[in-house]
Amino acid sequence: MMVAGTEVPVIGSDSIKWIDLTIPSSINHIDNGGFAPPTADSASATYIHGDDSFYLICRIHMAQSNVLEIFKLSREFPHSTGLRLSFSHPLSAFALVSAFPTKSHYLLYTVTISGIAYFIKLSKDLTSIFSRDELIELDVRAYSNCNEPITCMAANHGCLLLGRNDGSVTCFQLGSLHQTAPGFVSELRDDSGVSLGRLWGFMSRGRGVGAVQDLIVKEILGKKVVFVLHHDGILRAWDLLSRNKILSHAMTVPTSLEGATSTRLWLGEFNSDSSIFPLAILYKSTLEVSMEVIYVYSLCCSTGDRISLSVDSSVKNFPVDEGGCIDVKLTSDKIWILKDNGLAYHHLFNSSNMEEAHCYALQEEFIADQLFQSSEHTSDDLISIISSILSSGKDQIVPFVSSIFLRRILHPGVYHNKVLRSTFLDYSKHWTDNEFQSLTVDGLKKEIISLVEHESMAESPISIFQGWKNFFCRYFQYWCKKNAPYALILQSTSGAVGLIRTHSVSLFRSLENTELLTDGLSEDLGDLASFGLDLFNDNSDREILFEVLRCVVNISQQLGKTASFIFYESFVGRQSISSEEIIPRLLKILGAGYGPSTRAGYLSGLGSDVALEREQRDHKNLRKFSVDMLLSLHDLCKKAASWRKILDVIESYLQFLVPKKFTQNSGAETLSCLNNSILVQASCQIAKVMFEYALDILLFVSYLMSIGGQINMVHDDITRIQVDLVPMIEEIISEWLIILVFCTTPSESPPIEDFSSQLSLLQIDNKINKRSWREKLGKCDFTLASLLLLHNQSSSGYERHLSLGCLLNPHEIITSVQKFASWIVWGNTGEVSSSFLRRSTELAIVLLRNGQYDAVEYLLAIFEANARRERIFRSIQGTSGDWCLLQHLLGCCLVAQTQRGLHGVLKGRKVSEAVSCFFRAASGEGASQALQSLSDEAGLPYLGFNGHVSAAWKLHYYQWVMQLFEQYNISEGACQFALAALEQVDDLGLGGDGFERDSSNESTTTIKGRLWANVFKFTLDLNLLNDAYCAIISNPDEESKYICLRRFVIVLYECGAIKILCNGQLPLIGLADKVERELAWKAERTDILAKPNPYKLLYAFEIHRHNWRKAASYMYLYSARLRTDTVQKDQQHMSITLQERLNALSAAVNALQLVHPAYVWIDPLPEGYSLRNEHYPHKKAKTTVKEQSVNDVQSQRLQFCIDIEKLEYEIVLTSAEYQLSLANVKWTYSGIGKAPSDLVELLVLTNLYDTAFSVILKFWKDSDLKRELEKIFSAIALKCCPSTVSSSRTRSQSLLLTSSKDEVVVHGSPGMELTSEQTKANCHWETLEQYLEKYKNFHSRLPVIVAETLLRTDPHIELPLWLVKMFKENQRERPWGMTGPEPSSASLFRLYVDYGRYTEATNLFLEYVEAFASTRPLDIINRKRSSAVWFPYNTVERLWCQLEGLIKSGHMVDQSDKLKRLLYKSLVNHLKQLKVDSVDAVSSAG
């Protein structure tokens, strides 16, 4: 059987987006089966002819027996949506969709296994039911009087035909007549040999006929004819309209098939020339060995008054040898037979019955090869070869093996959506539809690797390898199960052949000539011209070529297909071994086999017997191969007479492997999405075959060089192979590999944060369905070739060839592939490019426009490596601008790759490589012309230079590259090119006459200013603060410099590095004032509580410059801002703010103290500042008359200034406010022009005595000070009286300004126990004693005020001893009376008398009188001096009178009388003593 072609899957047909609809049912059968044929995997295709022809596909699956899938196989497939209908009952294996005559909607006929027929009108876009009112549900059992089961079904527009077990055919006019209308149901039945069509219910019963096996409705010459195949071999034909029988023929059962029965019937197309229909019947024999044979008959049609049909006697049979028959399609001259193992076709009218069938391979064969399932030892050879090539252990082997397996399973055509999900379920990995569809290629790779590694448990290469084998085995089993073939699609007008599978659709293509030749070697075909090899006119050359090719096949079979997988992985993957190293290591395996240590690790796990058997087998195969190759090569050399002749043949043959050149038709029609998908997958298949075949030839010629001495090859022949043939083959391999990479590499998905911008770069013609790429970017079924194909069609118009429908025939697919490969390799012209790199840059530009940066890097790296390998690198670099284009594009893609989630070292490496690429691009000869030839879309606008001024060109180019790096936020690269551009400005010498100015006519200063500004920006982004400042001071443009300085200050502040401006780290030569101005500007516009605080920074800045007054000014301004900007803050924040204000004011005072006393003031607040003069009166600074006369202007300027005194006032007040805030008491002063008496009261009530005294001492002097001190001590004394605590609390509430009840600061509450109040009173006594002792020197009457306050508050209070002692202390030096400075004992005596403390007053008087009487002799002289003794006699008299009054009133009579007698006695003695002293004084005076 000759292989003529292979299956090409429509990539993406496994992931159709379905619209689910549920079909309601009003009929419920208890018996859900047996009346109609059971559910089976089936499919049907209806061709809808029109301007845009397409197929309507219906699929029914046994796994989902109640679901019917309907979709269009149209130009937009597979990106169109499908309709999935869910029925209440399982469906029989029949469904038909046809178009309404006006094509406004579609008609669906289907039947359930329980006998319910459905007629449904579907919308034209297959998204809904056209009209639910016209959904007809018919129970066909109601129309069967004998309940004969249904054996087969057919339908036509307006008619449903049901073949029954009794041989009758029931016709329902479903969709054309109402169920109650006459003629809705009719029957076709052959009774007593007469063809009658009668209405149901009026039919007589005769002899029975065989059960209906198959039904076909065919339109012949405008009439609808029903062909019925019966079980007894009778073929009948009926005119459906008149219900007349027009044919009844007994088909002879083949004698070669004993017990065979006819099961299926197919009709071909009518041949108008011969008036013949081909008719095929499938016969099955189940006796002993199951056998199937298809017999093809000729059905003759004659026309006249009526159609007459007859069966010709000529018969052709086609045995179905291997695999069961699935479907058959007939054309007018061919029969296509779909079997389990392939698709075969035969010519019907060939005179020879021995004609060999032409076979098309199914996809299962390709899948088995890709997944290492086609041979028992294929995967074992893979691990053996890899272990031999990579000898560095698991660190290299495991990633290499996993990468190969991953690439195999994600290969287009192998990857299947539903198959992979089913395989995941075996590993307990569950996905929802949305979750799985959202996975990109990278996401799928991670999931698959994690599952395999988790199952493998151990991390050894063998364990991982076994894990992959198990995964592939399961995947292949599910692939075969879930992708079984259902039915054929045959488009006779174009010759296209398609296949409907369980979850996909595919077409068939012819084999390429190289594929045909490879298959023909086994058949000894010698007609090279039939394969396109008409290069050899001499028969001897043809024989030599075939012998060479047989040797090539032997080498390929010895290494197996895994060698190509390994080479491809080294070529494509980012592994530790290059493709150039693979060939020598493969040759080593061909010569010496696998090393003993290489396979020991793998075979050790299989047991000693198996390991020994494998080793012996490998050794035997190697010896046989070596001997056979030596013999074959010796025979070949004898036949050719010299190796030169053989090498000439090989070199001529290599031209056959080079991609053909085609000139693209720029005005042709474009392909559809469906055919695009087919084209990409077919290109993938052919490129893979061509690559593998070229690789085999490379191995062959390399093998010749390795054994050249053994086969008598001279040095010149070896040199020719090495210099001429090997580079030629390597170039062929590279070309096909690039095509293969494009067809298998999925497109990159745009980054999430930049999705819209990436899509906007994809400029594709509107004729192409944009959903085909918008929804598929980053998916396995949308490869780089798809993007290139879309670009090719939109830019040059891709030729559609001669397709007459929506599908490409097998030969058109090959032609399309050849033209697509030609476009990739040679471009639109089909001519060899003048530069080796020219075509690579053209493809790179296309990919770059579409955001495929990894592909660009890979493509350009391949071409550059090829250039280096061919030793033309220097010539390319020195003489052509193409090398510059390559470097430029490579730099662009490297820059873009940094945005794909790279970080750290990886990102830095990409940036470094990109910088190098751009510098190399600008350094090559012809760079200006080459780079300016790029279009705007490629990333470099035309710059308007002719290239003769190198510095000018580089200046503009470096600026462009700088902007590119800036666009991607790569400041490191942008900075380098900004500095490089500055060097070019210096080299230009803009002032010279020879400089060619550009259109902007910028000056040197402007250009440098702009570039230095960019350097500043980039270094600032990199946090290189010193470099950024150097860029500022290097900037010659003052305006630009000032803008940069402002930005510098802002950034330093935001990043917390502003201190470097204040600590002298940066030399602010000539910029100090500007820096100060910027800091002040920043301070005015920044939140006052921000950190770091800009005012503190200004303070540090000025302190470092020894500008004390400005430092003080900024701190005062900070304090003022705090006072006004934080009014609404809560109490906690207010305390912090007040503390900050105190610190600021203290810092201002400290700074002013460093100023010369003649200049101690703070400059006015900035103009327009709201606090100016709010709290301070106009006042001039304190200056001498001489200073004022010398500098009147200065005096005028200082009239609003603030000196240290005012600052100290504010410090005191702020401190008081701060202390109150800590006590949760709010107070705000309204100015310092007057003494804040209310503040003092609050401080005392809040027990903040130190602060209160500080305020008093600061704001009051002389008598005012004494008055305020009296108020404070009076208030403190009141707190010492327990009886006044409650009243004091009330008073404190009344004295508070705006506090709430919670904020009233009172120590104690009415409900507290008395002991607590006594404890607090004791504390008050101690406080009173402490402060009275401290401040009595300021005002001597303070003890008097305290005592009077206490007695006034509580006349019965016992004065503390320490207070009484203060009154008596001044009397110690003069013990002869009660006189002396305040506080005196006389004052205490008076207070006792005034407040009714008569006992204490009497005792005090007696104490001093007795002291007077007992004066020491030394003091008697002093006592007797004039006016030396004084007692408060008036007060004593008042005391005497008060005691008499008490006695008279009868109150305290005894006590008062006693006191009176004591007082009387004391006074009598005292007066006597005074009389004696007076006499003595007079005597002494005389």
Side-chain angles (χ1 to χ4, degrees), residues 960-1031:
W960 181 89
V961 177
M962 176 193 70
Q963 293 171 1
L964 177 67
F965 278 104
E966 182 181 7
Q967 177 185 352
Y968 286 95
N969 295 321
I970 307 175
S971 299
E972 179 182 355
C975 184
Q976 293 189 47
F977 282 94
L979 293 172
L982 280 168
E983 293 180 5
Q984 300 305 316
V985 175
D986 294 332
D987 294 342
L988 276 174
L990 294 182
D993 297 334
F995 173 68
E996 240 183 282
R997 289 184 175 272
D998 60 350
S999 57
S1000 62
N1001 291 324
E1002 292 180 309
S1003 64
T1004 305
T1005 302
T1006 303
I1007 296 176
K1008 285 189 173 182
R1010 183 179 66 250
L1011 291 174
W1012 277 117
N1014 281 289
V1015 172
F1016 160 76
K1017 176 182 180 300
F1018 303 138
T1019 52
L1020 199 59
D1021 292 341
L1022 295 170
N1023 201 30
L1024 303 175
L1025 303 181
N1026 291 335
D1027 293 343
Y1029 182 74
C1030 290

Side-chain angles (χ1 to χ4, degrees), residues 1033-1062:
I1033 62 178
S1034 301
N1035 196 329
D1037 189 339
E1038 292 299 325
E1039 182 180 359
S1040 177
K1041 178 189 293 186
Y1042 183 72
I1043 294 173
C1044 293
L1045 182 62
R1046 171 170 292 185
R1047 179 62 183 166
F1048 187 61
V1049 171
I1050 293 174
V1051 172
L1052 288 180
Y1053 177 79
E1054 292 175 351
C1055 68
I1058 195 69
K1059 293 181 180 180
I1060 67 172
L1061 286 178
C1062 308

Side-chain angles (χ1 to χ4, degrees), residues 170 489 567 697 994 1088 1116:
T170 306
I489 302 173
F567 186 88
I697 295 178
I1088 194 61
Y1116 178 74

Side-chain angles (χ1 to χ4, degrees), residues 600-651:
Y602 172 66
L603 295 178
S604 61
L606 302 178
S608 58
D609 295 338
V610 176
L612 180 61
E613 180 184 353
R614 292 275 181 93
E615 289 182 0
Q616 292 176 348
R617 186 196 67 196
D618 292 342
H619 185 64
K620 180 180 179 180
N621 290 339
L622 180 62
R623 286 190 303 168
K624 183 178 183 302
F625 166 76
S626 300
V627 172
D628 291 345
M629 284 298 296
L630 282 175
L631 294 175
S632 298
L633 291 174
H634 279 293
D635 292 341
L636 178 61
C637 185
K638 290 179 181 179
K639 184 178 295 185
S642 68
W643 280 107
R644 179 180 179 184
K645 179 68 173 177
I646 298 173
L647 297 181
D648 289 339
V649 172
I650 294 175
E651 186 173 0

